Amino acid sequence: MNVPTTSRPGLVLAICCASIVVVVMDISIVTVALPAIRRDLGASVSGLQWTVDAYTLVLAAFLVLAGSAADRFGRKRVFQYGLALFGAGSLLCSLAPGIGWLIAARALQAAGGTMLNPVAMAIVATTFPVPAERARAIGVFGSMSGLALALGPILGGALVDGLGWRAVFWVNVPIVAAALVATAVFVPESRAPRARRFDPVGQALVLLVLGSLVFGLIQARSPGWTSPWILGLFALAGLGVLGLLRHEPRRADPLLELRLFRSVAFSSAIVMAVLALCGFGIFLFTATQYLQEVRGLTALSAGLCLLPVGLLVLVLSPRTGRLVGTRGPRWPLVVAGVALTAGGAAAAWLGPATPLPVVLATFLLFGVFLGTVNPPITNTAVSGMPGSMAGVAASLASSGRQTGTTLGVALAGSAHGVWWLVAALGAGLFALALLGTGRRAAATARRAAALFDELSLPRPTG
């Protein structure tokens, strides 16, 4: 591995942390601004869903590609491109004259975001070569997502109430500009010793599957779930899945390494990532609409109501990580599944006159869920994998999270009884927590890992 040296590792960590804060915050901060965007631009519910999903869909589809590009062309270089694209997308979002322009700018913003999170993690890992220091740095880096979730709704609410919804986008511009300058000066360049080859056909098929599925879910509200147009979109997504199953095993370096799914632990982790963040995507989109449109709260007040969720994530995530390291991932995942189930069932009874303390107590359940779910999912995904595949496994888990968020927002405005759907997702998470962390799952993980012997693995050509 090309291990860079720098006399300012703390500054490199700060730059990488700033990147994850703006990328993650732009998921939660925008949800608080959605009612104002709807009033100002005359957007429909589907337009609001696409404002969120154009961002998360691009993140989900291109995370793995961005990581491979950084390994090949240089992490610092790709990180700088990501910052520039994210800043340009943010500026265009703030200037959008209509909802279509806003959605397109959000997609551009996300294209930059795909080059920040996975690449920043690689930069942190190579900047701190000593294992103990690296572990602490990665812990700090990981906790920034909780900080972003805590700050996003409050900052978004304050900006919307004080300066208008466009301010939630242009606030990114000076942060990105400062990060660009600091990256040029302080971040060293690094590359992987062996970069994975690109898989353009696989990438196109992934985009086809996710795009068709999300488009069908969002648009199903109007023509109905049995409309030929909607059924055709779902059929197209199914054909894309079949194409992936046929194409990817033929590749030397596939975008989706399907042999990983022979591990029950890994497969369970990916499905859990989708289910968990699907539930959270529904919560984030629906809760902000409920607080502002149903209860009539201001954007800032709505953001303050969501503060307990972010604070619990900030407090529980590092403790959960330590628990996973000492006791394994099962019990944190069980707690997350129970909390999500209880949160969905409790939220189903919220109404316009529900006492605010009851609302906040319900939201706390979602904070417990999100604070305990992410570290064990990543641990389960990479458990037993050789070093050569750990990064790929972790990237696919991250893609699963973004896919789940995208599907959750799509379902939030298209399905009836969404809170009971959240409860069902929590029950699925609970069941998979038991299935994916047992002895049999660990045995399948060991057998799958044996397929990736770094020295002797024969790879198919393609």
Side-chain angles (χ1 to χ4, degrees):
M1 181 188 296
N2 180 15
V3 179
T5 58
T6 174
S7 59
R8 303 287 183 89
L11 280 173
V12 174
L13 178 60
I15 294 165
C16 293
C17 286
S19 74
I20 191 174
V21 166
V22 294
V23 171
V24 174
M25 188 182 293
D26 259 58
I27 299 173
S28 62
I29 197 172
V30 169
T31 58
V32 179
L34 291 178
I37 292 172
R38 183 177 189 176
R39 290 189 298 270
D40 189 30
L41 300 183
S44 63
V45 172
S46 63
L48 297 182
Q49 289 173 282
W50 276 116
T51 301
V52 180
D53 270 356
Y55 186 82
T56 56
L57 177 61
V58 172
L59 286 178
F62 293 103
L63 273 175
V64 178
L65 175 63
S68 298
D71 288 343
R72 180 177 296 274
F73 299 117
R75 292 160 183 149
K76 174 179 178 177
R77 177 186 298 180
V78 172
F79 189 72
Q80 288 173 308
Y81 289 155
L83 286 170
L85 269 180
F86 189 87
S90 298
L91 183 61
L92 290 174
C93 284
S94 71
L95 300 173
I99 193 66
W101 289 97
L102 178 60
I103 292 168
R106 285 283 282 169
L108 178 64
Q109 191 186 31
T114 62
M115 303 180 199
L116 297 182
N117 278 12
V119 181
M121 174 64 84
I123 290 172
V124 170
T126 53
T127 300
F128 293 85
V130 179
E133 294 180 353
R134 181 189 303 146
R136 286 194 293 270
I138 290 176
V140 172
F141 180 80
S143 68
M144 289 300 104
S145 62
L147 178 63
L149 286 170
L151 291 179
I154 300 171
L155 179 59
L159 289 171
V160 170
D161 283 351
L163 300 172
W165 65 265
R166 297 179 188 274
V168 304
F169 297 110
W170 58 248
V171 72
N172 293 329
V173 176
I175 298 174
V176 168
L180 270 171
V181 174
T183 299
V185 176
F186 298 111
V187 175
E189 185 60 280
S190 64
R191 293 176 175 82
R194 177 189 176 276
R196 292 173 64 84
R197 282 180 274 183
F198 294 124
D199 180 9
V201 174
Q203 183 64 69
L205 288 170
V206 167
L207 192 58
L208 174 68
V209 171
L210 292 178
S212 300
L213 182 59
V214 172
F215 195 83
L217 290 173
I218 289 178
Q219 299 303 127
R221 183 184 184 95
S222 177
W225 293 92
T226 58
S227 162
W229 167 242
I230 299 302
L231 293 177
L233 286 170
F234 292 153
L236 191 60
L239 290 174
V241 171
L242 293 176
L244 285 169
L245 293 175
R246 179 176 177 80
H247 171 74
E248 294 299 89
R250 300 168 180 263
R251 293 284 303 175
D253 284 322
L255 181 74
L256 300 179
E257 182 52 84
L258 297 181
R259 286 173 292 183
L260 289 171
F261 288 91
R262 299 184 187 183
S263 164
V264 173
F266 175 81
S267 300
S268 298
I270 301 303
V271 177
M272 284 190 289
V274 174
L275 295 182
L277 273 296
C278 182
F280 185 70
I282 292 174
F283 164 74
L284 200 59
F285 186 88
T286 308
T288 52
Q289 303 298 303
Y290 163 75
L291 291 170
Q292 295 184 66
E293 301 290 349
V294 177
R295 297 190 69 98
L297 298 181
T298 64
L300 178 57
S301 297
L304 289 171
C305 288
L306 294 172
L307 175 62
V309 178
L311 289 179
L312 272 175
V313 174
L314 190 61
V315 171
L316 291 178
S317 288
R319 289 170 171 78
T320 300
R322 289 194 292 270
L323 180 62
V324 170
T326 57
R327 302 291 297 274
R330 169 170 285 191
W331 289 112
L333 287 171
V334 166
V335 170
V338 171
L340 183 60
T341 303
W349 299 99
L350 298 180
T354 303
L356 193 57
V358 176
V359 175
L360 296 179
T362 301
F363 288 178
L364 285 175
L365 291 169
F366 289 95
V368 172
F369 147 70
L370 196 63
T372 55
V373 77
N374 280 320
I377 282 178
T378 302
N379 177 275
T380 304
V382 303
S383 179
M385 292 296 166
S388 61
M389 298 307 299
V392 176
S395 295
L396 289 174
S398 295
S399 295
R401 292 188 187 94
Q402 296 298 338
T403 300
T405 303
T406 305
L407 295 177
V409 173
L411 287 166
S414 305
H416 298 290
V418 290
W419 289 122
W420 292 113
L421 174 59
V422 170
L425 292 170
L429 176 61
F430 175 85
L432 286 170
L434 299 179
L435 175 67
T437 58
R439 292 181 180 178
R440 291 183 179 180
T444 63
R446 288 191 294 270
R447 289 195 293 270
L451 298 172
F452 299 100
D453 188 305
E454 297 180 70
L455 296 177
S456 61
L457 174 67
R459 288 186 177 273
T461 58

